[in-house]
Amino acid sequence: MLKKIALLVLVTGLLAGLRVSAAQTLDIYFIDVEGGQSTLIVTPEGQSMLIDAGWDGFDNRDPKRILAAAREAGIKRIDYLVITHFHRDHVGGVPALAQQLPIDTFIDYGEPIEASDFAQAGFKPYALVRASGTSRRPAPGETLALRGVEVDIVASGGAIISRPLPGATGAANGACATSTTPTAEEGENPRSLGIRLRFGKFTFLNLGDLPGSKLAALACPNNLLGHSDVYLVPHHGNSDSAIPAVISAVSPRVAIVNNGATKGGYAEGLASLRDAKGIEDVWQLHRTRNAGAVNYPDAFIVNLEEGDKDTGAYLKLSADESGSFTITNGRTKVTRAYK
Amino acid sequence: MTHFIRKSLWSIAIVLAVVPMADVMAQVRSEAADGTGSLAALTAEIRQLRLALEESTRSQAQTQALSVYLSAQQSRILQVATRLDAARKELDEATMRLSEITRGLEETRTSLLSVVDPVRRQELERANQEMKAMQPRFVREEQQARARESELALALQTEEARWTDLISRLEQLVKK
């Protein structure tokens, strides 16, 4: 009997070792940083990647919100911090966050070219924190390998991929014929570091604040992006990211707009999503009160209030390898499934 | 994981070696308590002890051999599983490409039904032709990737069956 029990315990252990965490999900927390970006990705094996850290100031509002999401996710350090670009609404929260949560590897495109305070005031404190860890500057086309999850670099420092992403055809995009040519922009936004993440059949596209002609070049004349299940709308849903040919190229099931009450979430940006074919749902991180902007129903908006009443809830996405996923509104706690 | 398996196998070996020895020792102690103390009884006890030692040595040798087989089998399973993971990734990509081209063709076909502007029509027709030309390649690639994935999934099943067989043999050894 003793021998049998010992054997059973040992054999169970051996078999458990062979099949590691087969049924776990990839979790993505879209944190409301009021018109900036902070997206926390936690892999089934517990690796973490934070894309941007929101604003500085506001009594450390954004680092506190990121910490709350990290606590919910059960992570105690950030393995990769990806900075899409050096504007304060993306990089400002890093120094305060780094005091609470150790950061292993910093991924960005080097230094800003913009002399504005909006870029320099965010970059300088960030650069000091970055110097304390390991940093990488991957080029478009490179891949960051997390265990079980692949992250393709789509754009960085003003350069974009020259070949279709894995799984994309690179075929001519018929929707380009109906799109007007967007204007070229300067500064940090068009230098955004953008990624496409794959977990089994699930795909997620996050291009930072990539706007205008740089964004359009990924979809026209040929579609280099291919389909992504979830599309974080670039530049917070501003008019310069409302490019029908890009939305058609990505053909997302779900689009997420990381807007604030008055920053991002503009009329043209939201309208372009409403007009697009095939999008099942659009989620907003905040209700917008921009002129002419038509909000999606409250159930699809994470935060409705402003000021003291704003609880800063997040949107949580959980995906499995089959490509199906759920989205939970942190305010209402209601979960919607996408099979 | 290799370290864990090695440690576990040594634990099995110890269980296999110690448990029969303990049985014999208990029997010897029980008989000594009878107070016979004769030479014949002592000889019988020594014989029993020798047999127990031989049995224990045999069990250890068999366990060690199974340990080697299990270790090798584990490597095989990991190799095939890695190749299967790569094949599944390839299949996912091929499936994505095929569904994208199918969706693109459907979109351009629908647009061509309503668009009248000659420039836009020309653009749509160009895209449509290009996608039609690409489609057979993506169909072929998807089929090849699917076949490869099936082949490796079957290979993994075979290797896992071998692993199960080795575990059963280990179980039989313990039952003896």
Side-chain angles (χ1 to χ4, degrees):
Chain A
M1 187 63 185
L2 173 72
K3 283 187 278 183
K4 260 191 168 174
I5 292 169
L7 182 75
L8 269 175
V9 169
L10 292 168
V11 168
T12 309
L14 286 168
L15 292 175
L18 272 178
R19 300 173 182 279
V20 182
S21 59
Q24 288 182 324
T25 57
L26 171 87
D27 294 330
I28 307 179
Y29 297 80
F30 298 90
I31 300 155
D32 181 13
V33 289
E34 312 288 341
Q37 183 183 173
S38 188
T39 308
L40 175 64
I41 298 163
V42 183
T43 72
E45 293 201 28
Q47 285 188 295
S48 58
M49 173 181 273
L50 180 69
I51 303 176
D52 293 337
W55 297 84
D56 53 332
F58 306 104
D59 191 25
N60 288 333
R61 177 198 65 202
D62 295 349
K64 284 176 187 169
R65 289 180 180 180
I66 297 165
L67 279 171
R71 267 197 293 273
E72 147 84 16
I75 58 156
K76 292 188 167 54
R77 61 188 313 111
I78 300 291
D79 294 308
Y80 295 99
L81 172 67
V82 176
I83 295 298
T84 62
H85 62 296
F86 300 116
H87 280 159
R88 281 178 71 178
D89 55 335
H90 293 256
V91 75
V94 174
L97 180 70
Q99 286 177 7
Q100 303 289 324
L101 210 54
I103 299 166
D104 288 341
T105 305
F106 297 79
I107 295 167
D108 58 39
Y109 57 83
E111 292 181 358
I113 54 166
E114 239 179 78
S116 72
D117 187 54
F118 196 48
Q120 294 298 330
F123 176 72
K124 284 172 186 166
Y126 163 72
L128 291 174
V129 178
R130 183 179 64 179
S132 66
T134 309
S135 57
R136 284 185 59 189
R137 291 167 195 175
E142 284 185 34
T143 301
L144 304 176
L146 279 76
R147 288 190 292 274
V149 174
E150 290 204 26
V151 178
D152 299 298
I153 305 295
V154 178
S156 183
I160 60 166
I161 45 170
S162 54
R163 290 182 194 173
L165 285 171
T169 61
N173 180 357
C176 297
T178 54
S179 279
T180 51
T181 311
T183 51
E185 297 194 12
E186 290 179 352
E188 298 311 310
N189 288 337
R191 306 179 77 218
S192 281
L193 191 157
I195 60 132
R196 199 275 304 266
L197 176 149
R198 273 184 299 160
F199 171 56
K201 289 187 169 66
F202 173 80
T203 43
F204 166 54
L205 186 65
N206 181 339
L207 299 175
D209 281 2
L210 202 67
S213 59
K214 280 279 184 225
L215 178 61
L218 291 167
C220 292
N222 292 71
N223 181 0
L224 304 180
L225 294 169
H227 164 80
S228 279
D229 294 304
V230 178
Y231 179 47
L232 183 67
V233 179
H235 206 190
H236 322 291
N238 279 8
S239 53
D240 56 11
S241 65
I243 305 168
V246 175
I247 301 169
S248 172
V250 179
S251 63
R253 295 185 67 189
V254 164
I256 296 170
V257 187
N258 54 2
N259 64 297
T262 53
K263 189 174 177 298
Y266 290 98
E268 204 181 338
L270 294 180
S272 68
L273 298 169
R274 217 177 285 274
D275 294 341
K277 288 177 195 162
I279 298 183
E280 290 171 44
D281 287 317
V282 175
W283 293 80
Q284 291 173 233
L285 292 194
H286 214 107
R287 179 153 59 192
T288 176
R289 54 183 169 83
N290 286 323
V294 180
N295 283 290
Y296 281 84
D298 283 1
F300 293 92
I301 302 175
V302 186
N303 294 298
L304 304 174
E305 308 289 348
E306 291 173 49
D308 293 342
K309 288 181 182 171
D310 182 2
T311 57
Y314 48 73
L315 194 69
K316 181 183 174 184
L317 183 151
S318 293
D320 66 43
E321 285 184 297
S322 69
S324 63
F325 57 97
T326 61
I327 292 183
T328 304
N329 184 333
R331 175 178 59 85
T332 63
K333 312 292 182 204
V334 172
T335 299
R336 200 168 162 82
Y338 300 87
K339 297 286 180 195
Chain B
M1 198 174 73
T2 311
H3 173 71
F4 171 74
I5 288 182
R6 196 167 291 147
K7 208 173 150 186
S8 306
L9 289 169
W10 275 112
S11 307
I12 294 174
I14 289 164
V15 169
L16 288 168
V18 168
V19 172
M21 285 287 284
D23 287 349
V24 171
M25 289 302 285
Q27 204 183 335
V28 166
R29 269 199 303 274
S30 153
E31 284 174 9
D34 292 347
T36 51
S38 70
L39 187 63
L42 193 63
T43 309
E45 283 165 16
I46 289 169
R47 189 178 297 125
Q48 272 189 307
L49 268 173
R50 200 189 64 214
L51 287 171
L53 273 170
E54 280 173 7
E55 174 60 27
S56 170
T57 310
R58 202 167 33 249
S59 294
Q60 274 184 1
Q62 284 175 325
T63 309
Q64 276 174 357
L66 272 172
S67 152
V68 173
Y69 289 146
L70 274 168
S71 186
Q73 190 56 27
Q74 181 212 5
S75 302
R76 271 195 217 112
I77 288 177
L78 288 178
Q79 272 177 19
V80 178
T82 306
R83 284 162 62 200
L84 180 60
D85 279 349
R88 284 192 172 142
K89 206 176 84 181
E90 211 173 283
L91 177 60
D92 285 346
E93 289 172 7
T95 309
M96 280 167 74
R97 282 193 294 267
L98 186 58
S99 58
E100 191 186 312
I101 212 88
T102 309
R103 182 186 57 81
L105 277 167
E106 180 57 26
E107 256 182 35
T108 48
R109 192 188 64 81
T110 313
S111 301
L112 279 167
L113 293 175
S114 55
V115 171
V116 285
D117 177 61
V119 179
R120 281 168 60 187
R121 278 194 73 83
Q122 198 180 12
E123 187 72 14
L124 282 166
E125 273 159 7
R126 191 183 69 82
N128 190 267
Q129 275 169 12
E130 192 182 313
M131 283 189 277
K132 271 183 180 165
M134 288 168 118
Q135 196 180 30
R137 177 161 63 91
F138 293 133
V139 170
R140 200 171 52 246
E141 282 176 1
E142 198 264 354
Q143 284 168 349
Q144 283 168 350
R146 196 168 293 283
R148 179 101 184 111
E149 193 268 349
S150 302
E151 191 182 294
L152 284 165
L154 197 65
L156 185 63
Q157 271 180 18
T158 309
E159 297 301 340
E160 280 179 339
R162 281 185 192 145
W163 170 270
T164 310
D165 180 51
L166 284 171
I167 293 288
S168 311
R169 281 197 226 169
L170 196 60
E171 200 175 29
Q172 290 299 320
L173 196 62
V174 173
K175 276 180 186 166
K176 273 182 188 172

